[in-house]
Amino acid sequence: MHKHKKNHIMCRVLHGAVVLITELCEHNPGTLDQFRKAVPELVQIMKGLVTSSYSPEHNVAGISDPFLQVRILRLLRILGHNNDTASDAMNDLLAQVATNTDSSKTAGSAVLYETVLTIMDINSESGLRVLAVNILGRFLLNNDRNIRYISMTSLQKIVQTDHNAVQRHRGTIVDCLKDQDTSVKRRALELSLALVSAVNIRSMMKELLIFLSTCPPELRSHTTSGIFNAAERYSPSKRWHIDTILHVLTTAGGDVRDETVPNLIQLITTASELHCYTVHKLYRALVKDISQQSLVQVACWCIGEYGDLLLKGECEEIEPVQVTEDDVLDALETVLQSHMSSPATRGFALTATMKLSTRITDNVDRIRSIVSIYGSCIDLELQQRAVEYNALFKKYDHMRAAVLERMPVMDKNSPGHTNGDTSGEIKEPDPSKPKPVEAGLLSEPASQCYETYLFQINAVHLNFLLIKESWTKNVSWFPQKYKAEMQKRCVYVHVVLTETVYEKNGLSLKIQCDKQTETEVTVTLIGSNSAQNDITNFTLQAAVPKVCTCSTFKLSPVLAYTSSRYSFQQPSGHRSQHSHCSQILFLQ
């Protein structure tokens, strides 16, 4: 009895000493070098706990004093972090603990888990790290959900550094997607997405799509985002990429991010050889189900752009189905009239209907009728579109084919493509990133420079100017309570539109639009330099749609012209200098 009591006291003292040293090392890193000298003694104590019954009265489920073992392993992890000498001294011990500890009991699992954390945090050998990953893989088969959860949490932390070792347990990880516990499913999903690579993209995507059809609602958004990112990064072909996204939209179209629609449209435009296949597949999906708004929007866009390919009925990639003009218009009208369609979706459907007016031959009058109906729609956005399209049918019918021609291939970095940012704002460059300085940009060789800036005149501004007469005619019949809003809009189109497009580092640029005649709009760029130095190499370039032509630039005397470049001069004694450059746009 006396010997057992002595061992008990020694065990408690040792436990307290280890805890004290651990706290000192965590709060005072300067003591690490001093305590690293004790690593060999800690290793010997730990070996005694593993190989013999060091203190039988503290034996838990066959593990000798697991509390002390966990404490010693935690201290060894701190002492071995970023230190080769200490790490080498404990490598053999960690391998011994990992192979001799029984993981069937909770106490043994606790010791093994702490061993894995220690192996991963010190400068351990590669073989030892593989052994640690295999231990976590065994944990995934444990019946205890808590053990499975902490195992996947640990694997998530090391999957980037030990990717191949974790890949060996991919099947077990995927099986965890079927777990009843939502927390375990979430961890399994995150880990599965991290394991996707170019080699296993097809098999992993198959499992993820199966999971998407049955996963809890709170995980759908995360699942769709992960699938989209993986498909974009590792897609083996554009057709596979499109099919995968369409599958997601069909299954969980209401849970995708807002940028999914423009991103998919951009992908479709770049795959010109798949336009026929895509429009046929989307048309079938649209006829089958119009509840998934994102899918309906993409389908309407494709039908509007490639409706002529749909009507031809010739497609090598998919079984052709004979579709008539009435069938297509019926499908779009169903979308327009459905209570499930959002205002944005109706806008897609109305635009698609209008675009078909240049792609079909026998039902143009029906399209004109559909468009005119929505000229009195209570939704102002939809009504504006309808009024503009009516103007194209009547006053500007000669321009309709040019205005409604197919969209060109969209570049991901083009203006208007958010690529995940739905704010719609133009972001300023990151000040932390160095910018290239153009020689001669400023007369002062300082660190300040003006980056190249691309701006666009909002097309809605010009649309308001062009349809002023049509809009005004349609106000008379409008309900009284909405007339005030309509009158505001009518006043708006009569004023000169001015918008600041750039203002930084003393340089201010404004765009001013003013309608001169029925077919003439003056667009004026107003520049103001309030900086201390002259701005040189100021280049102005303009591009307009096909329906417009440009006249020669009209330059004010203040703006110097040299080799197609314009300079803002800073006269002495003046704080700010304004320059104007106007351009006339003529309608064809």
Side-chain angles (χ1 to χ4, degrees):
M1 291 294 295
H2 178 71
K3 182 179 179 180
H4 289 308
K5 184 175 181 180
K6 182 179 179 180
N7 288 339
H8 175 75
I9 294 174
M10 289 179 61
C11 184
R12 294 304 95 205
V13 171
L14 181 59
H15 188 279
V18 171
V19 172
L20 177 60
I21 295 174
T22 302
E23 292 295 321
L24 287 173
C25 292
E26 287 179 343
H27 291 86
N28 187 7
T31 62
L32 286 173
D33 291 336
Q34 182 67 29
F35 287 116
R36 282 189 177 117
K37 299 175 182 178
V39 169
E41 287 79 5
L42 291 171
V43 169
Q44 289 302 319
I45 295 172
M46 189 67 189
K47 282 184 178 180
L49 290 171
V50 174
T51 58
S52 64
S53 298
Y54 179 80
S55 180
E57 61 269 25
H58 293 101
N59 187 287
V60 179
I63 306 298
S64 179
D65 204 342
F67 299 100
L68 180 58
Q69 288 195 47
V70 167
R71 284 293 183 181
I72 293 176
L73 288 169
R74 194 170 298 170
L75 177 57
L76 289 174
R77 181 165 74 250
I78 296 173
L79 297 175
H81 182 67
N82 290 335
N83 187 278
D84 292 334
T85 303
S87 297
D88 291 340
M90 63 183 76
N91 273 333
D92 292 340
L93 167 69
L94 294 174
Q96 186 177 4
V97 175
T99 54
N100 294 338
T101 303
D102 183 13
S103 62
S104 61
K105 303 296 182 179
T106 303
S109 297
V111 173
L112 284 175
Y113 179 65
E114 202 67 37
T115 303
V116 169
L117 295 182
T118 303
I119 291 173
M120 292 302 176
D121 208 35
I122 67 172
N123 301 337
S124 56
E125 300 171 352
S126 59
L128 199 57
R129 295 179 70 86
V130 173
L131 179 60
V133 173
N134 291 338
I135 292 174
L136 294 176
R138 292 204 307 269
F139 282 173
L140 293 175
L141 301 174
N142 198 295
N143 293 327
D144 192 329
R145 289 176 179 171
N146 293 323
I147 294 178
R148 294 202 299 273
Y149 180 85
I150 63 172
S151 173
M152 284 186 287
T153 302
S154 301
L155 289 172
Q156 181 72 27
K157 294 177 181 178
I158 63 177
V159 68
Q160 300 301 328
T161 56
D162 297 271
H163 188 82
N164 292 332
V166 180
Q167 278 283 4
R168 297 190 183 98
H169 305 279
R170 186 174 72 243
T172 309
I173 295 169
V174 170
D175 287 339
C176 290
L177 291 172
K178 304 172 186 177
D179 198 282
Q180 298 298 317
D181 188 272
T182 304
S183 299
V184 175
K185 283 185 177 181
R186 185 183 296 276
R187 283 291 182 225
L189 172 62
E190 293 171 352
L191 193 52
S192 297
L193 292 172
L195 290 176
V196 177
S197 65
V199 176
N200 60 33
I201 180 66
R202 292 184 183 273
S203 59
M204 286 296 292
M205 195 59 66
K206 181 179 179 181
E207 296 292 342
L208 290 170
L209 291 175
I210 293 174
F211 172 73
L212 178 62
S213 62
T214 59
C215 72
E218 61 268 22
L219 294 181
R220 285 188 178 179
S221 178
H222 184 48
T223 305
T224 56
S225 299
I227 290 175
F228 288 157
N229 292 336
E232 182 172 2
R233 187 174 182 180
Y234 301 113
S235 62
S237 65
K238 286 187 177 181
R239 174 170 174 172
W240 182 92
H241 193 179
I242 293 173
D243 285 342
T244 301
I245 296 180
L246 292 183
H247 187 113
V248 173
L249 294 181
T250 305
T251 306
D255 298 291
V256 300
R257 296 176 298 183
D258 293 339
E259 65 267 22
T260 300
V261 173
N263 285 354
L264 178 55
I265 288 175
Q266 185 273 335
L267 173 63
I268 293 172
T269 61
T270 59
S272 57
E273 71 280 4
L274 296 174
H275 287 169
C276 184
Y277 167 78
T278 305
V279 72
H280 274 84
K281 191 162 186 176
L282 282 168
Y283 172 76
R284 295 180 184 185
L286 178 66
V287 172
K288 185 177 180 180
D289 181 22
I290 61 171
S291 62
Q292 305 290 356
Q293 295 298 287
S294 299
L295 178 67
V296 174
Q297 290 175 11
V298 178
C300 289
W301 187 91
C302 280
I303 291 173
E305 292 297 317
Y306 314 119
D308 52 330
L309 301 178
L310 177 63
L311 295 172
K312 286 181 180 178
E314 301 174 358
C315 186
E316 297 179 357
E317 295 84 3
I318 194 172
E319 182 181 354
V321 176
Q322 191 60 41
V323 181
T324 65
E325 295 180 0
D326 286 324
D327 293 335
V328 177
L329 293 177
D330 287 343
L332 294 175
E333 273 200 281
T334 301
V335 175
L336 285 167
Q337 297 170 4
S338 174
H339 67 280
M340 293 185 290
S341 298
S342 66
T345 302
R346 288 192 175 96
F348 273 89
L350 186 63
T351 301
T353 304
M354 184 63 186
K355 283 215 162 190
L356 287 177
S357 67
T358 62
R359 292 153 174 77
I360 64 178
T361 56
D362 299 332
N363 283 275
V364 177
D365 290 337
R366 181 181 174 182
I367 294 175
R368 185 184 289 108
S369 175
I370 295 173
V371 170
S372 63
I373 291 173
Y374 287 91
S376 58
C377 180
I378 194 172
D379 182 88
L380 295 182
E381 172 67 21
L382 205 58
Q383 183 201 112
Q384 176 187 330
R385 294 191 185 206
V387 170
E388 294 174 3
Y389 297 155
N390 272 320
L392 281 177
F393 269 125
K394 297 176 182 178
K395 190 172 183 179
Y396 304 103
D397 190 64
H398 61 286
M399 297 164 40
R400 182 160 52 88
V403 171
L404 301 177
E405 66 180 9
R406 283 187 186 176
M407 294 289 291
V409 176
M410 301 178 190
D411 182 22
K412 272 196 172 185
N413 297 323
S414 62
H417 188 95
T418 59
N419 197 22
D421 177 22
T422 57
S423 62
E425 298 178 357
I426 298 177
K427 296 182 179 180
E428 295 293 343
D430 187 353
S432 64
K433 297 181 180 179
K435 293 182 294 186
V437 179
E438 180 182 352
L441 195 60
L442 289 177
S443 59
E444 180 185 35
S447 60
Q448 184 184 34
C449 68
Y450 298 92
E451 66 276 6
T452 301
Y453 191 81
L454 174 67
F455 55 85
Q456 290 182 312
I457 304 170
N458 192 341
V460 175
H461 290 175
L462 294 179
N463 285 340
F464 271 128
L465 293 167
L466 296 177
I467 64 164
K468 177 181 64 175
E469 294 81 8
S470 299
W471 192 285
T472 307
K473 293 176 183 177
N474 282 276
V475 174
S476 58
W477 49 263
F478 217 75
Q480 184 63 35
K481 61 180 180 178
Y482 296 115
K483 278 190 177 181
E485 178 66 23
M486 293 297 99
Q487 294 299 336
K488 288 180 183 178
R489 290 176 176 260
C490 288
V491 172
Y492 178 70
V493 300
H494 284 84
V495 301
V496 176
L497 304 174
T498 303
E499 182 176 357
T500 301
V501 295
Y502 183 85
E503 191 166 11
K504 186 179 178 183
N505 298 332
L507 175 62
S508 175
L509 298 177
K510 296 181 180 180
I511 284 289
Q512 180 175 291
C513 302
D514 185 17
K515 183 172 183 181
Q516 304 294 329
T517 66
E518 288 297 318
T519 60
E520 183 180 312
V521 176
T522 300
V523 180
T524 306
L525 172 68
I526 304 173
S528 174
N529 176 23
S530 58
Q532 295 289 342
N533 307 288
D534 295 344
I535 299 177
T536 60
N537 289 356
F538 186 88
T539 305
L540 175 63
Q541 296 178 336
V544 296
K546 293 182 178 180
V547 296
C548 303
T549 56
C550 294
S551 71
T552 306
F553 286 111
K554 297 180 178 179
L555 305 178
S556 68
V558 182
L559 190 60
Y561 175 76
T562 306
S563 301
S564 299
R565 294 182 179 270
Y566 305 92
S567 301
F568 289 91
Q569 301 295 333
Q570 180 73 28
S572 58
H574 290 79
R575 176 61 183 163
S576 177
Q577 180 70 35
H578 294 269
S579 295
H580 299 257
C581 179
S582 300
Q583 184 177 16
I584 305 292
L585 303 182
F586 295 98
L587 297 178
Q588 288 181 345

